[in-house]
PDB file of all heavy atoms in Angstrom:
ATOM      1  N   VAL A  20      28.551 -65.867 -69.992  1.00  0.00           N
ATOM      2  CA  VAL A  20      27.616 -65.631 -71.086  1.00  0.00           C
ATOM      3  C   VAL A  20      27.807 -64.201 -71.725  1.00  0.00           C
ATOM      4  O   VAL A  20      27.578 -64.023 -72.895  1.00  0.00           O
ATOM      5  CB  VAL A  20      26.137 -66.008 -70.632  1.00  0.00           C
ATOM      6  CG1 VAL A  20      25.167 -65.685 -71.745  1.00  0.00           C
ATOM      7  CG2 VAL A  20      26.010 -67.408 -70.209  1.00  0.00           C
ATOM      8  N   ILE A  23      30.302 -64.121 -74.915  1.00  0.00           N
ATOM      9  CA  ILE A  23      30.126 -64.959 -76.113  1.00  0.00           C
ATOM     10  C   ILE A  23      30.109 -64.117 -77.370  1.00  0.00           C
ATOM     11  O   ILE A  23      30.851 -64.285 -78.392  1.00  0.00           O
ATOM     12  CB  ILE A  23      28.857 -65.866 -76.074  1.00  0.00           C
ATOM     13  CG1 ILE A  23      29.061 -66.772 -74.877  1.00  0.00           C
ATOM     14  CG2 ILE A  23      28.680 -66.676 -77.302  1.00  0.00           C
ATOM     15  CD1 ILE A  23      27.851 -67.682 -74.595  1.00  0.00           C
ATOM     16  N   ILE A  26      33.496 -62.507 -78.144  1.00  0.00           N
ATOM     17  CA  ILE A  26      34.519 -63.490 -78.633  1.00  0.00           C
ATOM     18  C   ILE A  26      34.201 -63.906 -80.033  1.00  0.00           C
ATOM     19  O   ILE A  26      35.065 -63.994 -80.919  1.00  0.00           O
ATOM     20  CB  ILE A  26      34.479 -64.761 -77.710  1.00  0.00           C
ATOM     21  CG1 ILE A  26      35.132 -64.406 -76.313  1.00  0.00           C
ATOM     22  CG2 ILE A  26      35.243 -65.955 -78.318  1.00  0.00           C
ATOM     23  CD1 ILE A  26      36.556 -64.035 -76.339  1.00  0.00           C
ATOM     24  N   GLU A  27      32.928 -64.011 -80.383  1.00  0.00           N
ATOM     25  CA  GLU A  27      32.517 -64.395 -81.785  1.00  0.00           C
ATOM     26  C   GLU A  27      32.927 -63.218 -82.773  1.00  0.00           C
ATOM     27  O   GLU A  27      33.600 -63.492 -83.789  1.00  0.00           O
ATOM     28  CB  GLU A  27      31.013 -64.512 -81.869  1.00  0.00           C
ATOM     29  CG  GLU A  27      30.543 -65.022 -83.193  1.00  0.00           C
ATOM     30  CD  GLU A  27      29.067 -65.455 -83.167  1.00  0.00           C
ATOM     31  OE1 GLU A  27      28.167 -64.676 -82.845  1.00  0.00           O
ATOM     32  OE2 GLU A  27      28.828 -66.628 -83.347  1.00  0.00           O
ATOM     33  N   ASP A  47      58.676 -76.171 -71.130  1.00  0.00           N
ATOM     34  CA  ASP A  47      58.703 -77.027 -69.970  1.00  0.00           C
ATOM     35  C   ASP A  47      59.421 -76.332 -68.817  1.00  0.00           C
ATOM     36  O   ASP A  47      60.357 -75.587 -68.989  1.00  0.00           O
ATOM     37  CB  ASP A  47      59.590 -78.277 -70.258  1.00  0.00           C
ATOM     38  CG  ASP A  47      58.958 -79.153 -71.341  1.00  0.00           C
ATOM     39  OD1 ASP A  47      57.699 -79.113 -71.478  1.00  0.00           O
ATOM     40  OD2 ASP A  47      59.675 -79.821 -72.039  1.00  0.00           O
ATOM     41  N   PHE A  55      54.453 -76.956 -67.181  1.00  0.00           N
ATOM     42  CA  PHE A  55      54.569 -76.071 -68.300  1.00  0.00           C
ATOM     43  C   PHE A  55      54.281 -74.632 -67.894  1.00  0.00           C
ATOM     44  O   PHE A  55      53.460 -74.383 -66.957  1.00  0.00           O
ATOM     45  CB  PHE A  55      53.600 -76.375 -69.391  1.00  0.00           C
ATOM     46  CG  PHE A  55      53.603 -77.807 -69.803  1.00  0.00           C
ATOM     47  CD1 PHE A  55      52.879 -78.753 -69.236  1.00  0.00           C
ATOM     48  CD2 PHE A  55      54.540 -78.269 -70.849  1.00  0.00           C
ATOM     49  CE1 PHE A  55      52.903 -80.087 -69.617  1.00  0.00           C
ATOM     50  CE2 PHE A  55      54.639 -79.530 -71.219  1.00  0.00           C
ATOM     51  CZ  PHE A  55      53.813 -80.461 -70.644  1.00  0.00           C
ATOM     52  N   TRP A  91      47.897 -65.142 -64.857  1.00  0.00           N
ATOM     53  CA  TRP A  91      47.676 -63.694 -64.481  1.00  0.00           C
ATOM     54  C   TRP A  91      47.808 -62.969 -65.819  1.00  0.00           C
ATOM     55  O   TRP A  91      48.660 -63.305 -66.651  1.00  0.00           O
ATOM     56  CB  TRP A  91      48.737 -63.344 -63.534  1.00  0.00           C
ATOM     57  CG  TRP A  91      48.503 -63.951 -62.204  1.00  0.00           C
ATOM     58  CD1 TRP A  91      47.867 -63.470 -61.127  1.00  0.00           C
ATOM     59  CD2 TRP A  91      48.957 -65.266 -61.786  1.00  0.00           C
ATOM     60  NE1 TRP A  91      47.765 -64.388 -60.130  1.00  0.00           N
ATOM     61  CE2 TRP A  91      48.470 -65.534 -60.566  1.00  0.00           C
ATOM     62  CE3 TRP A  91      49.701 -66.304 -62.419  1.00  0.00           C
ATOM     63  CZ2 TRP A  91      48.682 -66.728 -59.890  1.00  0.00           C
ATOM     64  CZ3 TRP A  91      49.881 -67.478 -61.773  1.00  0.00           C
ATOM     65  CH2 TRP A  91      49.418 -67.732 -60.475  1.00  0.00           C
ATOM     66  N   MET A 104      45.903 -52.596 -65.982  1.00  0.00           N
ATOM     67  CA  MET A 104      45.272 -53.613 -65.101  1.00  0.00           C
ATOM     68  C   MET A 104      46.173 -54.843 -64.915  1.00  0.00           C
ATOM     69  O   MET A 104      46.737 -55.277 -65.946  1.00  0.00           O
ATOM     70  CB  MET A 104      43.849 -53.975 -65.659  1.00  0.00           C
ATOM     71  CG  MET A 104      43.121 -55.032 -64.810  1.00  0.00           C
ATOM     72  SD  MET A 104      41.456 -55.178 -65.266  1.00  0.00           S
ATOM     73  CE  MET A 104      41.615 -56.258 -66.793  1.00  0.00           C
ATOM     74  N   ALA A 128      26.667 -76.380 -84.677  1.00  0.00           N
ATOM     75  CA  ALA A 128      25.658 -77.485 -84.176  1.00  0.00           C
ATOM     76  C   ALA A 128      24.338 -77.328 -84.991  1.00  0.00           C
ATOM     77  O   ALA A 128      23.964 -76.214 -85.317  1.00  0.00           O
ATOM     78  CB  ALA A 128      25.431 -77.323 -82.735  1.00  0.00           C
ATOM     79  N   VAL A 151      27.745 -72.989 -73.344  1.00  0.00           N
ATOM     80  CA  VAL A 151      27.201 -73.731 -74.446  1.00  0.00           C
ATOM     81  C   VAL A 151      25.683 -73.930 -74.274  1.00  0.00           C
ATOM     82  O   VAL A 151      24.915 -73.858 -75.243  1.00  0.00           O
ATOM     83  CB  VAL A 151      28.024 -75.081 -74.667  1.00  0.00           C
ATOM     84  CG1 VAL A 151      27.394 -75.792 -75.818  1.00  0.00           C
ATOM     85  CG2 VAL A 151      29.493 -74.812 -74.848  1.00  0.00           C
ATOM     86  N   PHE A 157      18.514 -76.426 -75.386  1.00  0.00           N
ATOM     87  CA  PHE A 157      18.715 -77.856 -74.893  1.00  0.00           C
ATOM     88  C   PHE A 157      17.589 -78.229 -73.920  1.00  0.00           C
ATOM     89  O   PHE A 157      17.105 -77.365 -73.122  1.00  0.00           O
ATOM     90  CB  PHE A 157      20.064 -77.942 -74.122  1.00  0.00           C
ATOM     91  CG  PHE A 157      21.204 -77.829 -75.128  1.00  0.00           C
ATOM     92  CD1 PHE A 157      22.048 -76.683 -75.135  1.00  0.00           C
ATOM     93  CD2 PHE A 157      21.492 -78.829 -76.019  1.00  0.00           C
ATOM     94  CE1 PHE A 157      23.088 -76.604 -76.022  1.00  0.00           C
ATOM     95  CE2 PHE A 157      22.552 -78.701 -76.926  1.00  0.00           C
ATOM     96  CZ  PHE A 157      23.407 -77.551 -76.938  1.00  0.00           C
ATOM     97  N   ILE A 160      20.850 -81.898 -70.170  1.00  0.00           N
ATOM     98  CA  ILE A 160      22.299 -81.713 -70.044  1.00  0.00           C
ATOM     99  C   ILE A 160      22.923 -82.876 -69.221  1.00  0.00           C
ATOM    100  O   ILE A 160      22.411 -83.186 -68.113  1.00  0.00           O
ATOM    101  CB  ILE A 160      22.585 -80.406 -69.405  1.00  0.00           C
ATOM    102  CG1 ILE A 160      22.001 -79.165 -70.186  1.00  0.00           C
ATOM    103  CG2 ILE A 160      24.114 -80.133 -69.195  1.00  0.00           C
ATOM    104  CD1 ILE A 160      22.036 -77.781 -69.475  1.00  0.00           C
ATOM    105  N   ASP A 192      27.397 -93.217 -72.147  1.00  0.00           N
ATOM    106  CA  ASP A 192      26.030 -92.743 -72.127  1.00  0.00           C
ATOM    107  C   ASP A 192      25.805 -91.335 -72.526  1.00  0.00           C
ATOM    108  O   ASP A 192      24.920 -90.880 -73.278  1.00  0.00           O
ATOM    109  CB  ASP A 192      25.318 -93.015 -70.789  1.00  0.00           C
ATOM    110  CG  ASP A 192      25.144 -94.476 -70.520  1.00  0.00           C
ATOM    111  OD1 ASP A 192      25.286 -95.300 -71.489  1.00  0.00           O
ATOM    112  OD2 ASP A 192      24.838 -94.939 -69.343  1.00  0.00           O
ATOM    113  N   ALA A 203      36.372 -80.874 -71.952  1.00  0.00           N
ATOM    114  CA  ALA A 203      37.047 -79.901 -71.176  1.00  0.00           C
ATOM    115  C   ALA A 203      37.858 -80.612 -70.054  1.00  0.00           C
ATOM    116  O   ALA A 203      37.843 -80.209 -68.913  1.00  0.00           O
ATOM    117  CB  ALA A 203      36.071 -78.952 -70.462  1.00  0.00           C
ATOM    118  N   TRP A 215      30.521 -94.271 -80.448  1.00  0.00           N
ATOM    119  CA  TRP A 215      29.503 -93.678 -79.599  1.00  0.00           C
ATOM    120  C   TRP A 215      28.878 -92.426 -80.278  1.00  0.00           C
ATOM    121  O   TRP A 215      27.843 -91.912 -79.817  1.00  0.00           O
ATOM    122  CB  TRP A 215      30.039 -93.185 -78.266  1.00  0.00           C
ATOM    123  CG  TRP A 215      30.628 -94.227 -77.382  1.00  0.00           C
ATOM    124  CD1 TRP A 215      30.550 -95.597 -77.557  1.00  0.00           C
ATOM    125  CD2 TRP A 215      31.471 -94.009 -76.311  1.00  0.00           C
ATOM    126  NE1 TRP A 215      31.279 -96.163 -76.594  1.00  0.00           N
ATOM    127  CE2 TRP A 215      31.871 -95.229 -75.798  1.00  0.00           C
ATOM    128  CE3 TRP A 215      31.968 -92.877 -75.625  1.00  0.00           C
ATOM    129  CZ2 TRP A 215      32.722 -95.470 -74.738  1.00  0.00           C
ATOM    130  CZ3 TRP A 215      32.811 -92.964 -74.605  1.00  0.00           C
ATOM    131  CH2 TRP A 215      33.165 -94.243 -74.057  1.00  0.00           C
ATOM    132  N   LEU A 222      30.957 -81.388 -81.910  1.00  0.00           N
ATOM    133  CA  LEU A 222      31.867 -81.428 -80.787  1.00  0.00           C
ATOM    134  C   LEU A 222      32.684 -80.102 -80.744  1.00  0.00           C
ATOM    135  O   LEU A 222      33.264 -79.728 -81.718  1.00  0.00           O
ATOM    136  CB  LEU A 222      32.850 -82.640 -80.917  1.00  0.00           C
ATOM    137  CG  LEU A 222      32.262 -83.990 -80.960  1.00  0.00           C
ATOM    138  CD1 LEU A 222      32.187 -84.519 -82.410  1.00  0.00           C
ATOM    139  CD2 LEU A 222      33.038 -84.956 -80.087  1.00  0.00           C
ATOM    140  N   ASP A 228      45.266 -78.797 -75.286  1.00  0.00           N
ATOM    141  CA  ASP A 228      45.916 -77.591 -75.751  1.00  0.00           C
ATOM    142  C   ASP A 228      47.466 -77.821 -75.724  1.00  0.00           C
ATOM    143  O   ASP A 228      48.269 -76.897 -75.831  1.00  0.00           O
ATOM    144  CB  ASP A 228      45.518 -76.380 -74.950  1.00  0.00           C
ATOM    145  CG  ASP A 228      45.724 -76.548 -73.465  1.00  0.00           C
ATOM    146  OD1 ASP A 228      46.167 -77.664 -73.110  1.00  0.00           O
ATOM    147  OD2 ASP A 228      45.497 -75.607 -72.716  1.00  0.00           O
ATOM    148  N   HIS A 230      50.308 -81.093 -77.153  1.00  0.00           N
ATOM    149  CA  HIS A 230      50.440 -82.283 -77.986  1.00  0.00           C
ATOM    150  C   HIS A 230      50.200 -83.553 -77.151  1.00  0.00           C
ATOM    151  O   HIS A 230      49.619 -84.549 -77.714  1.00  0.00           O
ATOM    152  CB  HIS A 230      51.828 -82.339 -78.670  1.00  0.00           C
ATOM    153  CG  HIS A 230      52.009 -83.588 -79.476  1.00  0.00           C
ATOM    154  ND1 HIS A 230      51.360 -83.696 -80.680  1.00  0.00           N
ATOM    155  CD2 HIS A 230      52.798 -84.647 -79.364  1.00  0.00           C
ATOM    156  CE1 HIS A 230      51.752 -84.863 -81.232  1.00  0.00           C
ATOM    157  NE2 HIS A 230      52.575 -85.467 -80.399  1.00  0.00           N
ATOM    158  N   GLU A 231      50.539 -83.591 -75.899  1.00  0.00           N
ATOM    159  CA  GLU A 231      50.438 -84.789 -75.052  1.00  0.00           C
ATOM    160  C   GLU A 231      48.955 -85.080 -74.743  1.00  0.00           C
ATOM    161  O   GLU A 231      48.620 -86.202 -74.366  1.00  0.00           O
ATOM    162  CB  GLU A 231      51.207 -84.644 -73.722  1.00  0.00           C
ATOM    163  CG  GLU A 231      52.687 -84.492 -73.847  1.00  0.00           C
ATOM    164  CD  GLU A 231      53.142 -83.071 -74.347  1.00  0.00           C
ATOM    165  OE1 GLU A 231      52.303 -82.179 -74.436  1.00  0.00           O
ATOM    166  OE2 GLU A 231      54.315 -82.942 -74.583  1.00  0.00           O
ATOM    167  N   ASP A 248      40.542 -72.896 -84.072  1.00  0.00           N
ATOM    168  CA  ASP A 248      40.592 -71.443 -83.841  1.00  0.00           C
ATOM    169  C   ASP A 248      41.770 -70.847 -84.597  1.00  0.00           C
ATOM    170  O   ASP A 248      41.665 -69.848 -85.331  1.00  0.00           O
ATOM    171  CB  ASP A 248      40.578 -71.033 -82.354  1.00  0.00           C
ATOM    172  CG  ASP A 248      41.528 -71.859 -81.510  1.00  0.00           C
ATOM    173  OD1 ASP A 248      42.300 -72.625 -81.999  1.00  0.00           O
ATOM    174  OD2 ASP A 248      41.485 -71.633 -80.311  1.00  0.00           O
ATOM    175  N   VAL A 263      47.824 -86.228 -86.723  1.00  0.00           N
ATOM    176  CA  VAL A 263      48.672 -85.653 -87.792  1.00  0.00           C
ATOM    177  C   VAL A 263      50.057 -86.260 -87.663  1.00  0.00           C
ATOM    178  O   VAL A 263      50.653 -86.621 -88.681  1.00  0.00           O
ATOM    179  CB  VAL A 263      48.603 -84.159 -87.694  1.00  0.00           C
ATOM    180  CG1 VAL A 263      49.670 -83.581 -88.605  1.00  0.00           C
ATOM    181  CG2 VAL A 263      47.227 -83.616 -87.991  1.00  0.00           C
ATOM    182  N   ASP A 271      46.320 -80.777 -93.952  1.00  0.00           N
ATOM    183  CA  ASP A 271      45.234 -80.090 -94.549  1.00  0.00           C
ATOM    184  C   ASP A 271      43.890 -80.548 -94.024  1.00  0.00           C
ATOM    185  O   ASP A 271      42.824 -80.397 -94.635  1.00  0.00           O
ATOM    186  CB  ASP A 271      45.217 -80.191 -96.091  1.00  0.00           C
ATOM    187  CG  ASP A 271      45.169 -81.709 -96.494  1.00  0.00           C
ATOM    188  OD1 ASP A 271      45.228 -82.603 -95.610  1.00  0.00           O
ATOM    189  OD2 ASP A 271      45.053 -81.991 -97.711  1.00  0.00           O
ATOM    190  N   PHE A 296      34.841 -78.425 -83.533  1.00  0.00           N
ATOM    191  CA  PHE A 296      35.610 -77.253 -83.349  1.00  0.00           C
ATOM    192  C   PHE A 296      36.799 -77.572 -82.392  1.00  0.00           C
ATOM    193  O   PHE A 296      36.501 -77.968 -81.284  1.00  0.00           O
ATOM    194  CB  PHE A 296      34.802 -76.059 -82.806  1.00  0.00           C
ATOM    195  CG  PHE A 296      35.614 -74.850 -82.316  1.00  0.00           C
ATOM    196  CD1 PHE A 296      36.613 -74.276 -83.119  1.00  0.00           C
ATOM    197  CD2 PHE A 296      35.452 -74.388 -81.106  1.00  0.00           C
ATOM    198  CE1 PHE A 296      37.431 -73.234 -82.690  1.00  0.00           C
ATOM    199  CE2 PHE A 296      36.252 -73.347 -80.591  1.00  0.00           C
ATOM    200  CZ  PHE A 296      37.195 -72.764 -81.359  1.00  0.00           C
ATOM    201  N   VAL A 317      36.387 -50.000 -64.294  1.00  0.00           N
ATOM    202  CA  VAL A 317      36.559 -48.559 -64.317  1.00  0.00           C
ATOM    203  C   VAL A 317      35.186 -47.932 -63.945  1.00  0.00           C
ATOM    204  O   VAL A 317      35.052 -47.049 -63.108  1.00  0.00           O
ATOM    205  CB  VAL A 317      37.032 -48.054 -65.671  1.00  0.00           C
ATOM    206  CG1 VAL A 317      36.897 -46.540 -65.743  1.00  0.00           C
ATOM    207  CG2 VAL A 317      38.515 -48.503 -65.910  1.00  0.00           C
ATOM    208  N   LYS A 318      34.167 -48.453 -64.657  1.00  0.00           N
ATOM    209  CA  LYS A 318      32.851 -47.886 -64.494  1.00  0.00           C
ATOM    210  C   LYS A 318      32.326 -48.068 -63.079  1.00  0.00           C
ATOM    211  O   LYS A 318      31.732 -47.179 -62.431  1.00  0.00           O
ATOM    212  CB  LYS A 318      31.858 -48.665 -65.458  1.00  0.00           C
ATOM    213  CG  LYS A 318      30.576 -47.874 -65.818  1.00  0.00           C
ATOM    214  CD  LYS A 318      30.024 -48.408 -67.135  1.00  0.00           C
ATOM    215  CE  LYS A 318      28.769 -49.267 -66.710  1.00  0.00           C
ATOM    216  NZ  LYS A 318      28.334 -50.051 -67.784  1.00  0.00           N
TER     217      LYS A 318
END
Side-chain angles (χ1 to χ4, degrees):
V20 175
I23 298 173
I26 290 292
E27 188 167 61
D47 293 334
F55 305 93
W91 292 266
M104 179 169 76
V151 179
F157 292 108
I160 300 173
D192 288 350
W215 303 343
L222 299 100
D228 54 359
H230 179 68
E231 296 77 8
D248 46 8
V263 170
D271 56 355
F296 167 53
V317 170
K318 204 161 100 191

